[in-house]
Amino acid sequence: MTYTPHANIGDRPITVIGGGTLGRRIALMLSLQGGEVRVYDTDLAVAKAAVEFIATQRHRAVEELGGTPAVRLAAKDDFADALRDSWLVVEAVPEKLGLKQAIFADLDQLAAPDAVLASNSSSFASSEFIGGVSSPERVLNMHFYMPPAVRSVELMSSGHTDPRVIELLMAQLPKYALKPHLVRKESTGFIFNRIWAAIKRESLQVVAEGVADPQDVDALFSDIFKSETTPFRFMDEVGLDVVLDIENHYCELAGVENKSAPMLQEYINKGWLGVKSGRGFYNDYS
């Protein structure tokens, strides 16, 4: 099949695969221009919770960032139905390579022939899961952080991505109050996360070795850099299960041991995943 980028988006739907912490926030941003936004999850209750989150938070985002008050939101657990005629599909599932490879092989078969297939993966380059895709020209990384508070998005080619796809997204994303940044060469961790990985790894090590508590690290970081965002608060927002998956992947690529894994696993075993579970490195989340 020869891939041809679409010239007319019109009011075609957008689909987000995964209704978790990031998936619902991505869908919230992509709802700002109206039209239909679908959230797919294998668990319909999760997809419905994501749509409810968007519906309750959207008015605030529209007031602050602009956009249209009108939107159609749909929760789906039927994959083919969720993808029908969407011009953009964003995958936001857990950082498991096999899972992503399977999803993109299915997307290749079920999504509209001209649909852009984007992965929100923060640790896997899209080149790693295009083996089962017949049209890798439409696949790329589109990495979000924590919208709507953080609206930067990194775009990185799969190595086969049609330049017109990246041009399209660079032009379209600002319409959704997003700030696209082009990653000019394949890079594990993209731009910011490559820098952040070093900060995160040493912060975890300092605590795992008993040199300091998370609160000590955050207090110093905040005072020295005059930043409201601090390492352990940020990890709680991301989710400690996600942090562990990402750290394991980075360490595997580097051929080194993840020395912070036992500490992170201990928190996860207790159900302390961060903000989404009400407790992580901090226990003051309601």
Side-chain angles (χ1 to χ4, degrees):
M1 180 175 62
T2 301
Y3 172 68
T4 303
H6 44 69
N8 182 24
I9 293 171
D11 61 354
R12 291 172 62 184
I14 294 173
T15 301
V16 176
I17 307 298
T21 301
L22 271 175
R24 62 188 58 186
R25 289 170 174 270
I26 293 168
L28 168 63
M29 298 303 293
L30 296 176
S31 78
L32 292 181
Q33 288 302 308
E36 182 179 4
V37 176
R38 303 167 182 160
V39 179
Y40 167 85
D41 201 284
T42 53
D43 186 340
L44 185 59
V46 172
K48 287 182 175 178
V51 165
E52 183 178 351
F53 170 84
I54 298 165
T56 56
Q57 298 294 319
R58 193 173 177 279
H59 69 282
R60 184 179 306 163
V62 169
E63 288 175 1
E64 293 179 359
L65 305 174
T68 174
V71 69
R72 287 172 287 155
L73 303 172
K76 303 282 187 179
D77 64 353
D78 182 298
F79 204 44
D81 186 39
L83 298 171
R84 182 173 35 84
D85 197 38
S86 289
W87 76 268
L88 172 63
V89 181
V90 182
E91 167 270 310
V93 303
E95 295 288 82
K96 307 288 186 182
L97 181 57
L99 175 60
K100 293 179 186 293
Q101 289 170 332
I103 285 175
F104 273 83
D106 288 342
L107 288 176
D108 186 57
Q109 296 297 315
L110 297 173
D114 64 348
V116 173
L117 307 180
S119 174
N120 179 58
S121 179
S122 60
S123 57
F124 292 107
S126 51
S127 61
E128 296 182 71
F129 41 81
I130 57 175
V133 176
S134 61
S135 298
E137 299 88 354
R138 59 181 176 152
V139 178
L140 78 161
N141 285 92
M142 186 160 79
H143 177 234
F144 294 78
Y145 287 89
M146 193 60 68
V150 181
R151 294 180 284 125
S152 289
V153 181
E154 291 170 313
L155 302 179
M156 186 172 78
S157 170
S158 68
H160 300 274
T161 310
D162 191 312
R164 292 172 294 178
V165 168
I166 294 177
E167 290 170 6
L168 173 71
L169 292 172
M170 292 292 288
Q172 289 294 320
L173 291 179
K175 298 177 183 178
Y176 298 89
L178 294 166
K179 301 176 180 179
H181 303 272
L182 178 61
V183 182
R184 300 177 187 276
K185 181 180 179 181
E186 184 174 295
S187 168
T188 300
F190 312 109
I191 302 169
F192 176 78
N193 270 353
R194 186 168 169 178
I195 298 165
W196 164 243
I199 297 170
K200 177 175 56 175
R201 189 172 302 117
E202 285 305 312
S203 296
L204 288 167
Q205 277 298 102
V206 162
V207 172
E209 292 172 5
V211 176
D213 289 333
Q215 294 82 357
D216 299 324
V217 175
D218 281 357
L220 277 165
F221 196 94
S222 176
D223 184 45
I224 292 170
F225 289 104
K226 310 304 178 189
S227 172
E228 294 181 6
T229 300
T230 54
F232 287 94
R233 284 288 187 188
F234 189 45
M235 283 188 269
D236 272 356
E237 288 183 14
V238 171
L240 303 192
D241 51 340
V242 177
V243 170
L244 178 58
D245 285 343
I246 293 171
E247 285 304 293
N248 283 339
H249 178 58
Y250 284 158
C251 289
E252 181 181 351
L253 288 177
V256 298
E257 178 188 0
N258 181 3
K259 295 181 180 180
S260 65
M263 178 181 70
L264 285 168
Q265 193 62 59
E266 181 180 347
Y267 276 76
I268 292 167
N269 290 344
K270 292 177 180 179
W272 298 351
L273 306 181
V275 174
K276 62 185 174 184
S277 69
R279 180 169 182 171
F281 288 113
Y282 291 83
N283 63 359
D284 57 0
Y285 306 116
S286 55

